[in-house]
């Protein structure tokens, strides 16, 4: 592949399917992705969302790592304000001990849910303000043991699990730059600040021993199919599903109602959220991906495909792998 490619699995529970079906499909896709040459397989933490089953992110990472052998597995990301750094260090230290040199720890500062969810987690919205300090604490807990250290992550200490800062604004870009860490921008759903954030990250980057140069992950959506018409049909269904999620808490809308909303300002917002999306047959998708990589100068591409069925999702990633390795 021209640049390494990471799959971001949204752990979508499709209509008529179960959470177990979702997890089985993730194992199947990760095993195929390993054979197809993808570098990483990530999950993102979400809560209280009926169509997304990645709430226990570390557990899923372990499940996928145990079903594969070489592909890196990790979080894209863990929402650190929802947890104490010690617990995250212990979880990912355990994963890194079980699966050496295969675990990534992407960190975000968004809650991954609503205020009711935060209350259920016994967290305060202001916890996000401590994100920079929590990252430093987590980094120290995963690093070598220090003289006089009174709190240790067991397992965790000395594992030095790779950290990646995730974000969709200049805040995350500046933090990643200041800490000398890789930066992943969530442009698959929040594209507005992409180019400015990457400019700031590179301009302000402070080299670190582990990362002497800045390293950018940039995310986009991909809907590849065997024909242009099939890919457009898949993408249209995804847009319909998105407007339904915005208006009825994840419940699907009849196509006529969804199309009417897509033609409204709310629909324009949904389309803008998916600005960076490659849709089409393999040749078209390859061209769109190449343009995105050139636009961002990404060191690594993150791809998400919320295709409406597990089968169309797997085929999309298969076709993408074929054209990127051709």
């Amino acid at each position: 592949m021209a640049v390494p490619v990471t799959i971001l699995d949204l752990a979508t529970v499709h209509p008529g399917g179960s959470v177990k079906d979702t997890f089985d499909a993730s194992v199947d896709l990760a095993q195929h992705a390993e054979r197809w040459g993808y570098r990483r397989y990530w999950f993102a933490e979400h809560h209280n969302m009926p169509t997304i089953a990645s709430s226990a992110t570390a557990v899923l990472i372990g499940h996928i790592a145990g079903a594969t052998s070489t592909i890196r597995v990790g979080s894209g990301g863990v929402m650190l304000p929802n947890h104490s750094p010690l617990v995250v260090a212990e979880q990912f230290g355990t994963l890194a001990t079980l699966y050496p040199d295969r675990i990534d720890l992407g960190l975000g500062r968004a809650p991954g849910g609503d205020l009711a969810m935060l209350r259920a987690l016994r967290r305060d919205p202001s916890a996000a303000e401590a994100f920079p300090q929590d990252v430093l604490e987590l980094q120290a807990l995963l690093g070598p043991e220090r003289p006089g250290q009174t709190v240790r992550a067991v397992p965790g200490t000395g594992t030095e699990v790779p950290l990646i800062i995730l974000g969709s604004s200049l805040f995350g870009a500046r933090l990643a730059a200041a800490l000398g860490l890789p930066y992943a921008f969530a442009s698959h759903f929040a594209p507005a600040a992409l180019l400015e954030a990457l400019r700031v990250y590179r301009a302000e980057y402070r080299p670190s021993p582990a990362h002497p140069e800045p390293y950018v992950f940039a995310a986009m959506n991909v809907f590849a199919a065997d024909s242009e018409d099939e890919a457009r049909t898949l993408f249209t269904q995804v847009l319909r599903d998105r407007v339904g999620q915005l208006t009825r808490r994840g419940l699907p809308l009849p196509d006529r109602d969804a199309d009417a909303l897509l033609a409204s300002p709310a629909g324009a917002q949904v389309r803008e959220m998916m600005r960076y999306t490659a849709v089409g047959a393999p040749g078209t998708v390859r061209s769109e991906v190449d343009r995105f990589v050139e636009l961002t100068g990404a060191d690594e591409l993150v791809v998400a495909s919320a295709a409406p069925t597990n089968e169309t999702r797997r085929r999309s990633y298969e076709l993408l792998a074929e054209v990127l390795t051709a």
Side-chain angles (χ1 to χ4, degrees):
M1 297 184 180
V3 297
V5 184
T6 291
I7 288 177
L8 177 62
D9 187 344
L10 302 176
T12 302
V13 182
H14 297 292
S18 67
V19 172
K20 180 63 163 57
D21 293 336
T22 296
F23 294 160
D24 290 345
S26 293
V27 169
D28 178 70
L29 178 58
Q31 290 172 339
H32 279 85
E34 186 171 74
R35 293 195 291 270
W36 293 333
Y38 287 92
R39 175 173 285 187
R40 308 173 203 264
Y41 198 97
W42 284 357
F43 292 98
E45 178 183 346
H46 293 84
H47 297 280
N48 199 30
M49 296 184 181
T51 60
I52 299 180
S54 53
S55 54
T57 315
V59 177
L60 270 182
I61 290 168
H63 184 55
I64 296 299
T68 53
S69 57
T70 58
I71 195 169
R72 296 190 67 87
V73 190
S75 61
V78 162
M79 302 299 109
L80 191 52
N82 294 345
H83 315 277
S84 76
L86 176 61
V87 168
V88 175
E90 291 169 339
Q91 290 175 346
F92 279 79
T94 299
L95 289 168
T97 302
L98 292 170
Y99 309 104
D101 300 318
R102 292 185 58 207
I103 302 300
D104 299 321
L105 178 48
L107 300 167
R109 69 178 181 124
D114 55 19
L115 288 175
M117 178 276 299
L118 281 176
R119 287 193 292 270
L121 287 175
R122 305 298 189 267
R123 308 300 286 179
D124 188 281
S126 65
E129 297 174 9
F131 182 65
Q133 293 75 27
D134 286 349
V135 173
L136 288 172
E137 183 179 343
L138 176 58
Q139 192 173 39
L141 286 166
L142 292 170
E145 186 171 343
R146 304 178 307 282
Q149 183 174 346
T150 57
V151 176
R152 299 168 185 82
V154 184
T157 300
T159 57
E160 301 192 72
V161 179
L163 305 184
I164 302 105
I165 300 297
L166 280 72
S168 58
S169 69
L170 301 189
F171 179 92
R174 289 199 162 98
L175 178 62
L179 299 181
L181 291 173
Y183 179 55
F185 194 93
S187 37
H188 62 299
F189 75 90
L194 170 65
L195 298 182
E196 178 65 7
L198 297 189
R199 185 196 66 77
V200 167
Y201 170 67
R202 292 179 173 120
E204 299 183 6
Y205 190 78
R206 298 178 185 175
S208 63
H211 304 285
E213 300 290 336
Y215 194 92
V216 166
F217 295 80
M220 70 182 305
N221 304 286
V222 173
F223 299 93
D226 291 286
S227 70
E228 298 287 338
D229 287 345
E230 183 183 356
R232 287 288 163 192
T233 299
L234 291 176
F235 185 50
T236 297
Q237 187 57 54
V238 169
L239 290 173
R240 288 168 173 167
D241 291 344
R242 291 287 171 90
V243 293
Q245 291 167 7
L246 288 177
T247 57
R248 293 177 59 183
R249 295 188 58 81
L251 298 177
L253 290 171
D255 288 351
R256 179 183 297 178
D257 294 344
D259 290 344
L261 275 173
L262 284 170
S264 72
Q269 181 182 8
V270 170
R271 292 181 187 276
E272 171 57 19
M273 288 171 64
M274 302 188 72
R275 183 197 310 175
Y276 296 117
T277 299
V279 181
T284 300
V285 165
R286 174 61 193 261
S287 296
E288 292 296 321
V289 168
D290 286 347
R291 275 194 284 271
F292 182 71
V293 171
E294 182 177 0
L295 174 71
T296 60
D299 300 289
E300 191 156 340
L301 181 68
V302 178
V303 290
S305 181
T309 69
N310 293 322
E311 292 74 20
T312 52
R313 179 181 70 156
R314 187 174 72 177
R315 182 59 174 158
S316 180
Y317 284 122
E318 181 180 17
L319 291 171
L320 178 62
E322 288 176 0
V323 296
L324 292 183
T325 55

